[in-house]
Amino acid sequence: MTLIRRTTARQFSHEDILALVEGTALGVHIPGFIPPQALASAREQLLDHPDRGGLSQDTAFKRIGFAYSEISDEASRDQYHSEARANIQRMRDLFSPYASPSDVFRALVEETWKPGANLLNINGRKAFIGICRYQDKDVDLNPHTDALERNLPAEHSVEQLAQLSANIYVNIPQTGGELELWGTEPGEDAYNELKGERVWGLERELLGPPKEVIKPSPGDLLLLNPRQIHAVRPSGDEPRITLGHFLGYYGADRPLALWS
């Protein structure tokens, strides 16, 4: 099994997405997804951007935008959806005069996945996509999984069969910042057992070594299955900055849903 499939934006295919859904690949890696000129411009703007704030679950992590995973009640749900359109535009403005990588990614997925792709729509309200996330020096992104169901409205029926994530890398530290992939997908009960005494994330000692470790370069795009356990090692010298996106899979004959 090829753990990481490497391709280009031109050659990215429907089958690459299916490989992640079906578990025949741990990741799909597109080096150089952001052109060098756009990458240099974005890094200059984003490294010390005044709009970055602390993530609700853990303020050690900073972000520009508002993540769906931060929704904890109806007030935060309303905030997320009411700010979605403005946050998409804010990310476009940050990359101007170059195209927003998140817009380019959305178009690529819509063109590549045969039934297409749309923004996630929850009860008539569209999602934000393109959150900018910061992992500063010495901050450890512990092993964890991501699941949309944890933040959906209680009355919302879940038809999603799989969830993928796509990170676009704006800045990578010289030391540290490697992505670790375990290739295992625990159920919620098993996940809670692996948490031990932690409020968030899993105990590394209970997991054993990761199956794959990869260090992307600035400008790269990497897709993976975030329902499988993954982590990011601490940055040793400078912030790790990424644009984060999720993809919901509802079947081979249905459009993908996109959100952050």
Side-chain angles (χ1 to χ4, degrees), residues 237-250:
D237 50 2
E238 54 185 294
R240 183 180 187 271
I241 305 175
T242 63
L243 304 178
H245 320 77
F246 287 113
L247 302 83
Y249 170 81
Y250 300 87

mmCIF file with all atom_site columns, all heavy atoms in Angstrom, residues 237-250:
data_model
loop_
_atom_site.group_PDB
_atom_site.id
_atom_site.type_symbol
_atom_site.label_atom_id
_atom_site.label_alt_id
_atom_site.label_comp_id
_atom_site.label_asym_id
_atom_site.label_entity_id
_atom_site.label_seq_id
_atom_site.pdbx_PDB_ins_code
_atom_site.Cartn_x
_atom_site.Cartn_y
_atom_site.Cartn_z
_atom_site.occupancy
_atom_site.B_iso_or_equiv
_atom_site.pdbx_formal_charge
_atom_site.auth_seq_id
_atom_site.auth_comp_id
_atom_site.auth_asym_id
_atom_site.auth_atom_id
_atom_site.pdbx_PDB_model_num
ATOM 1   N N   . ASP A 1 237 ? 11.122  26.582 16.005 1.00 0.00 ? 237 ASP A N   1
ATOM 2   C CA  . ASP A 1 237 ? 11.737  27.895 15.824 1.00 0.00 ? 237 ASP A CA  1
ATOM 3   C C   . ASP A 1 237 ? 10.786  28.966 15.306 1.00 0.00 ? 237 ASP A C   1
ATOM 4   O O   . ASP A 1 237 ? 10.979  30.138 15.597 1.00 0.00 ? 237 ASP A O   1
ATOM 5   C CB  . ASP A 1 237 ? 12.951  27.781 14.883 1.00 0.00 ? 237 ASP A CB  1
ATOM 6   C CG  . ASP A 1 237 ? 12.629  27.044 13.594 1.00 0.00 ? 237 ASP A CG  1
ATOM 7   O OD1 . ASP A 1 237 ? 11.461  26.655 13.400 1.00 0.00 ? 237 ASP A OD1 1
ATOM 8   O OD2 . ASP A 1 237 ? 13.547  26.846 12.783 1.00 0.00 ? 237 ASP A OD2 1
ATOM 9   N N   . GLU A 1 238 ? 9.745   28.625 14.539 1.00 0.00 ? 238 GLU A N   1
ATOM 10  C CA  . GLU A 1 238 ? 8.838   29.642 14.018 1.00 0.00 ? 238 GLU A CA  1
ATOM 11  C C   . GLU A 1 238 ? 7.454   29.045 13.854 1.00 0.00 ? 238 GLU A C   1
ATOM 12  O O   . GLU A 1 238 ? 7.287   27.821 13.925 1.00 0.00 ? 238 GLU A O   1
ATOM 13  C CB  . GLU A 1 238 ? 9.366   30.193 12.692 1.00 0.00 ? 238 GLU A CB  1
ATOM 14  C CG  . GLU A 1 238 ? 9.654   29.149 11.632 1.00 0.00 ? 238 GLU A CG  1
ATOM 15  C CD  . GLU A 1 238 ? 10.284  29.765 10.386 1.00 0.00 ? 238 GLU A CD  1
ATOM 16  O OE1 . GLU A 1 238 ? 9.580   30.543 9.725  1.00 0.00 ? 238 GLU A OE1 1
ATOM 17  O OE2 . GLU A 1 238 ? 11.456  29.472 10.095 1.00 0.00 ? 238 GLU A OE2 1
ATOM 18  N N   . PRO A 1 239 ? 6.427   29.863 13.667 1.00 0.00 ? 239 PRO A N   1
ATOM 19  C CA  . PRO A 1 239 ? 5.064   29.329 13.637 1.00 0.00 ? 239 PRO A CA  1
ATOM 20  C C   . PRO A 1 239 ? 4.815   28.420 12.441 1.00 0.00 ? 239 PRO A C   1
ATOM 21  O O   . PRO A 1 239 ? 5.363   28.620 11.360 1.00 0.00 ? 239 PRO A O   1
ATOM 22  C CB  . PRO A 1 239 ? 4.192   30.591 13.542 1.00 0.00 ? 239 PRO A CB  1
ATOM 23  C CG  . PRO A 1 239 ? 5.066   31.730 13.885 1.00 0.00 ? 239 PRO A CG  1
ATOM 24  C CD  . PRO A 1 239 ? 6.453   31.331 13.561 1.00 0.00 ? 239 PRO A CD  1
ATOM 25  N N   . ARG A 1 240 ? 3.977   27.446 12.664 1.00 0.00 ? 240 ARG A N   1
ATOM 26  C CA  . ARG A 1 240 ? 3.437   26.616 11.592 1.00 0.00 ? 240 ARG A CA  1
ATOM 27  C C   . ARG A 1 240 ? 2.075   27.213 11.228 1.00 0.00 ? 240 ARG A C   1
ATOM 28  O O   . ARG A 1 240 ? 1.176   27.285 12.068 1.00 0.00 ? 240 ARG A O   1
ATOM 29  C CB  . ARG A 1 240 ? 3.300   25.179 12.086 1.00 0.00 ? 240 ARG A CB  1
ATOM 30  C CG  . ARG A 1 240 ? 2.817   24.152 11.071 1.00 0.00 ? 240 ARG A CG  1
ATOM 31  C CD  . ARG A 1 240 ? 2.759   22.815 11.786 1.00 0.00 ? 240 ARG A CD  1
ATOM 32  N NE  . ARG A 1 240 ? 2.474   21.679 10.914 1.00 0.00 ? 240 ARG A NE  1
ATOM 33  C CZ  . ARG A 1 240 ? 1.257   21.247 10.633 1.00 0.00 ? 240 ARG A CZ  1
ATOM 34  N NH1 . ARG A 1 240 ? 0.202   21.879 11.119 1.00 0.00 ? 240 ARG A NH1 1
ATOM 35  N NH2 . ARG A 1 240 ? 1.087   20.189 9.866  1.00 0.00 ? 240 ARG A NH2 1
ATOM 36  N N   . ILE A 1 241 ? 1.928   27.672 9.996  1.00 0.00 ? 241 ILE A N   1
ATOM 37  C CA  . ILE A 1 241 ? 0.707   28.362 9.571  1.00 0.00 ? 241 ILE A CA  1
ATOM 38  C C   . ILE A 1 241 ? 0.068   27.563 8.442  1.00 0.00 ? 241 ILE A C   1
ATOM 39  O O   . ILE A 1 241 ? 0.717   27.264 7.433  1.00 0.00 ? 241 ILE A O   1
ATOM 40  C CB  . ILE A 1 241 ? 0.995   29.796 9.089  1.00 0.00 ? 241 ILE A CB  1
ATOM 41  C CG1 . ILE A 1 241 ? 1.732   30.582 10.186 1.00 0.00 ? 241 ILE A CG1 1
ATOM 42  C CG2 . ILE A 1 241 ? -0.296  30.506 8.701  1.00 0.00 ? 241 ILE A CG2 1
ATOM 43  C CD1 . ILE A 1 241 ? 2.159   31.975 9.742  1.00 0.00 ? 241 ILE A CD1 1
ATOM 44  N N   . THR A 1 242 ? -1.205  27.223 8.620  1.00 0.00 ? 242 THR A N   1
ATOM 45  C CA  . THR A 1 242 ? -1.918  26.447 7.612  1.00 0.00 ? 242 THR A CA  1
ATOM 46  C C   . THR A 1 242 ? -3.294  27.041 7.357  1.00 0.00 ? 242 THR A C   1
ATOM 47  O O   . THR A 1 242 ? -3.859  27.736 8.200  1.00 0.00 ? 242 THR A O   1
ATOM 48  C CB  . THR A 1 242 ? -2.106  24.982 8.059  1.00 0.00 ? 242 THR A CB  1
ATOM 49  O OG1 . THR A 1 242 ? -2.916  24.954 9.242  1.00 0.00 ? 242 THR A OG1 1
ATOM 50  C CG2 . THR A 1 242 ? -0.771  24.315 8.350  1.00 0.00 ? 242 THR A CG2 1
ATOM 51  N N   . LEU A 1 243 ? -3.830  26.734 6.176  1.00 0.00 ? 243 LEU A N   1
ATOM 52  C CA  . LEU A 1 243 ? -5.232  26.984 5.861  1.00 0.00 ? 243 LEU A CA  1
ATOM 53  C C   . LEU A 1 243 ? -5.939  25.638 5.955  1.00 0.00 ? 243 LEU A C   1
ATOM 54  O O   . LEU A 1 243 ? -5.531  24.672 5.290  1.00 0.00 ? 243 LEU A O   1
ATOM 55  C CB  . LEU A 1 243 ? -5.386  27.571 4.457  1.00 0.00 ? 243 LEU A CB  1
ATOM 56  C CG  . LEU A 1 243 ? -4.605  28.851 4.158  1.00 0.00 ? 243 LEU A CG  1
ATOM 57  C CD1 . LEU A 1 243 ? -4.834  29.274 2.707  1.00 0.00 ? 243 LEU A CD1 1
ATOM 58  C CD2 . LEU A 1 243 ? -5.012  29.972 5.104  1.00 0.00 ? 243 LEU A CD2 1
ATOM 59  N N   . GLY A 1 244 ? -6.994  25.573 6.773  1.00 0.00 ? 244 GLY A N   1
ATOM 60  C CA  . GLY A 1 244 ? -7.648  24.296 7.044  1.00 0.00 ? 244 GLY A CA  1
ATOM 61  C C   . GLY A 1 244 ? -9.014  24.185 6.397  1.00 0.00 ? 244 GLY A C   1
ATOM 62  O O   . GLY A 1 244 ? -9.801  25.137 6.406  1.00 0.00 ? 244 GLY A O   1
ATOM 63  N N   . HIS A 1 245 ? -9.314  22.995 5.853  1.00 0.00 ? 245 HIS A N   1
ATOM 64  C CA  . HIS A 1 245 ? -10.577 22.721 5.172  1.00 0.00 ? 245 HIS A CA  1
ATOM 65  C C   . HIS A 1 245 ? -11.019 21.299 5.487  1.00 0.00 ? 245 HIS A C   1
ATOM 66  O O   . HIS A 1 245 ? -10.183 20.401 5.632  1.00 0.00 ? 245 HIS A O   1
ATOM 67  C CB  . HIS A 1 245 ? -10.424 22.842 3.654  1.00 0.00 ? 245 HIS A CB  1
ATOM 68  C CG  . HIS A 1 245 ? -9.569  23.991 3.216  1.00 0.00 ? 245 HIS A CG  1
ATOM 69  N ND1 . HIS A 1 245 ? -8.181  23.954 3.288  1.00 0.00 ? 245 HIS A ND1 1
ATOM 70  C CD2 . HIS A 1 245 ? -9.888  25.202 2.716  1.00 0.00 ? 245 HIS A CD2 1
ATOM 71  C CE1 . HIS A 1 245 ? -7.691  25.101 2.842  1.00 0.00 ? 245 HIS A CE1 1
ATOM 72  N NE2 . HIS A 1 245 ? -8.697  25.877 2.493  1.00 0.00 ? 245 HIS A NE2 1
ATOM 73  N N   . PHE A 1 246 ? -12.327 21.087 5.563  1.00 0.00 ? 246 PHE A N   1
ATOM 74  C CA  . PHE A 1 246 ? -12.879 19.745 5.701  1.00 0.00 ? 246 PHE A CA  1
ATOM 75  C C   . PHE A 1 246 ? -13.773 19.426 4.518  1.00 0.00 ? 246 PHE A C   1
ATOM 76  O O   . PHE A 1 246 ? -14.383 20.323 3.912  1.00 0.00 ? 246 PHE A O   1
ATOM 77  C CB  . PHE A 1 246 ? -13.687 19.608 6.994  1.00 0.00 ? 246 PHE A CB  1
ATOM 78  C CG  . PHE A 1 246 ? -12.841 19.560 8.239  1.00 0.00 ? 246 PHE A CG  1
ATOM 79  C CD1 . PHE A 1 246 ? -12.881 20.593 9.156  1.00 0.00 ? 246 PHE A CD1 1
ATOM 80  C CD2 . PHE A 1 246 ? -12.009 18.481 8.495  1.00 0.00 ? 246 PHE A CD2 1
ATOM 81  C CE1 . PHE A 1 246 ? -12.101 20.564 10.307 1.00 0.00 ? 246 PHE A CE1 1
ATOM 82  C CE2 . PHE A 1 246 ? -11.219 18.445 9.640  1.00 0.00 ? 246 PHE A CE2 1
ATOM 83  C CZ  . PHE A 1 246 ? -11.280 19.480 10.551 1.00 0.00 ? 246 PHE A CZ  1
ATOM 84  N N   . LEU A 1 247 ? -13.859 18.120 4.209  1.00 0.00 ? 247 LEU A N   1
ATOM 85  C CA  . LEU A 1 247 ? -14.721 17.629 3.141  1.00 0.00 ? 247 LEU A CA  1
ATOM 86  C C   . LEU A 1 247 ? -15.598 16.518 3.699  1.00 0.00 ? 247 LEU A C   1
ATOM 87  O O   . LEU A 1 247 ? -15.087 15.564 4.298  1.00 0.00 ? 247 LEU A O   1
ATOM 88  C CB  . LEU A 1 247 ? -13.902 17.059 1.969  1.00 0.00 ? 247 LEU A CB  1
ATOM 89  C CG  . LEU A 1 247 ? -12.887 17.957 1.261  1.00 0.00 ? 247 LEU A CG  1
ATOM 90  C CD1 . LEU A 1 247 ? -11.560 17.986 2.018  1.00 0.00 ? 247 LEU A CD1 1
ATOM 91  C CD2 . LEU A 1 247 ? -12.633 17.466 -0.151 1.00 0.00 ? 247 LEU A CD2 1
ATOM 92  N N   . GLY A 1 248 ? -16.900 16.630 3.515  1.00 0.00 ? 248 GLY A N   1
ATOM 93  C CA  . GLY A 1 248 ? -17.830 15.594 3.934  1.00 0.00 ? 248 GLY A CA  1
ATOM 94  C C   . GLY A 1 248 ? -18.217 14.721 2.755  1.00 0.00 ? 248 GLY A C   1
ATOM 95  O O   . GLY A 1 248 ? -18.580 15.226 1.685  1.00 0.00 ? 248 GLY A O   1
ATOM 96  N N   . TYR A 1 249 ? -18.140 13.396 2.944  1.00 0.00 ? 249 TYR A N   1
ATOM 97  C CA  . TYR A 1 249 ? -18.466 12.422 1.898  1.00 0.00 ? 249 TYR A CA  1
ATOM 98  C C   . TYR A 1 249 ? -19.790 11.746 2.247  1.00 0.00 ? 249 TYR A C   1
ATOM 99  O O   . TYR A 1 249 ? -19.965 11.225 3.345  1.00 0.00 ? 249 TYR A O   1
ATOM 100 C CB  . TYR A 1 249 ? -17.340 11.383 1.813  1.00 0.00 ? 249 TYR A CB  1
ATOM 101 C CG  . TYR A 1 249 ? -17.634 10.189 0.939  1.00 0.00 ? 249 TYR A CG  1
ATOM 102 C CD1 . TYR A 1 249 ? -17.486 10.256 -0.444 1.00 0.00 ? 249 TYR A CD1 1
ATOM 103 C CD2 . TYR A 1 249 ? -18.044 8.977  1.506  1.00 0.00 ? 249 TYR A CD2 1
ATOM 104 C CE1 . TYR A 1 249 ? -17.741 9.148  -1.247 1.00 0.00 ? 249 TYR A CE1 1
ATOM 105 C CE2 . TYR A 1 249 ? -18.296 7.865  0.715  1.00 0.00 ? 249 TYR A CE2 1
ATOM 106 C CZ  . TYR A 1 249 ? -18.151 7.960  -0.658 1.00 0.00 ? 249 TYR A CZ  1
ATOM 107 O OH  . TYR A 1 249 ? -18.402 6.867  -1.447 1.00 0.00 ? 249 TYR A OH  1
ATOM 108 N N   . TYR A 1 250 ? -20.727 11.751 1.306  1.00 0.00 ? 250 TYR A N   1
ATOM 109 C CA  . TYR A 1 250 ? -22.073 11.215 1.536  1.00 0.00 ? 250 TYR A CA  1
ATOM 110 C C   . TYR A 1 250 ? -22.402 10.061 0.600  1.00 0.00 ? 250 TYR A C   1
ATOM 111 O O   . TYR A 1 250 ? -23.548 9.614  0.558  1.00 0.00 ? 250 TYR A O   1
ATOM 112 C CB  . TYR A 1 250 ? -23.108 12.334 1.361  1.00 0.00 ? 250 TYR A CB  1
ATOM 113 C CG  . TYR A 1 250 ? -22.899 13.480 2.323  1.00 0.00 ? 250 TYR A CG  1
ATOM 114 C CD1 . TYR A 1 250 ? -22.038 14.524 2.017  1.00 0.00 ? 250 TYR A CD1 1
ATOM 115 C CD2 . TYR A 1 250 ? -23.541 13.502 3.561  1.00 0.00 ? 250 TYR A CD2 1
ATOM 116 C CE1 . TYR A 1 250 ? -21.823 15.562 2.912  1.00 0.00 ? 250 TYR A CE1 1
ATOM 117 C CE2 . TYR A 1 250 ? -23.336 14.538 4.460  1.00 0.00 ? 250 TYR A CE2 1
ATOM 118 C CZ  . TYR A 1 250 ? -22.472 15.567 4.121  1.00 0.00 ? 250 TYR A CZ  1
ATOM 119 O OH  . TYR A 1 250 ? -22.255 16.583 5.007  1.00 0.00 ? 250 TYR A OH  1
#
